[in-house]
Amino acid sequence: DQSASLIRGASISLSVLLAAWTRCKNLGGYLAIFEARNESKWVESYRRSHSVLSMAFWIAGFHDDLANQWKWRGPQNDFPINSFDWNPGQPDNADQDCMKLFEARDNYRWDDSTCAISREFLCEKRVTILSWIQQKLYNLQVNLLITGVNAQC
């Protein structure tokens, strides 16, 4: 019974994928992994509702040159990508070993990209239902407190 939440960040290092992965880890998560099309659809819906349409984001996919295979960089280990959501014609370049999530004009599909490009990235964080409920109750208490303070003014 777990849900996932997304955290946005920006990478500013030449070791872009490693920097993004480390930043996600420091935030308690990992770079976003899409194991099913409905996960991509959820992110697409989130991006549309929050007007985050025109930028591409790093996600956890990378090309393992030794295995000649695309993999996800997971929280504990790397594992093969089993479902694919590449933009048509992708992946298209042997020197592009990192994966980004395209912007709206490309239907939020995946693209291989040069790893040294600095861009925003998506982190995923597993949240238990209990911690999610606790956070919602805390937010409700804060909102009630703010509303109560505003009502007294």
Side-chain angles (χ1 to χ4, degrees):
D1 293 299
Q2 293 185 335
S3 181
S5 60
L6 292 177
I7 306 165
R8 272 180 61 189
S11 61
I12 52 172
S13 169
L14 290 178
S15 317
V16 174
L17 192 63
L18 180 59
W21 185 84
T22 301
R23 181 73 178 126
C24 289
K25 187 176 179 182
N26 291 341
L27 292 168
Y30 45 92
L31 278 171
I33 294 171
F34 299 93
E35 295 183 84
R37 179 71 179 130
N38 65 332
E39 292 174 328
S40 291
K41 286 292 188 188
W42 184 85
V43 171
E44 177 183 334
S45 172
Y46 179 88
R47 288 177 70 177
R48 287 184 192 282
S49 67
H50 290 80
S51 299
V52 186
L53 305 174
S54 63
M55 54 179 68
F57 290 89
W58 288 125
I59 55 179
F62 72 99
H63 187 258
D64 181 340
D65 290 333
L66 292 175
N68 194 26
Q69 180 180 38
W70 281 90
K71 293 183 177 181
W72 291 119
R73 171 130 305 145
Q76 278 84 32
N77 54 13
D78 302 337
F79 57 96
I81 295 174
N82 293 322
S83 67
F84 293 93
D85 199 20
W86 292 105
N87 203 41
Q90 302 298 329
D92 64 351
N93 192 316
D95 294 330
Q96 297 178 332
D97 291 334
C98 290
M99 186 185 293
K100 67 181 179 185
L101 185 64
F102 260 140
E103 51 274 333
R105 67 177 180 180
D106 292 305
N107 296 314
Y108 303 103
R109 300 211 174 229
W110 306 343
D111 177 40
D112 60 333
S113 183
T114 304
C115 299
I117 297 172
S118 224
R119 70 176 75 250
E120 299 223 12
F121 53 91
L122 290 178
C123 298
E124 180 176 354
K125 182 176 181 181
R126 294 284 169 198
V127 181
T128 64
I129 295 298
L130 180 58
S131 67
W132 181 81
I133 291 170
Q134 289 171 332
Q135 183 63 44
K136 291 295 180 188
L137 288 173
Y138 173 77
N139 290 343
L140 178 62
Q141 289 172 346
V142 168
N143 287 338
L144 289 174
L145 181 62
I146 291 171
T147 303
V149 169
N150 289 339
Q152 293 174 3
C153 294

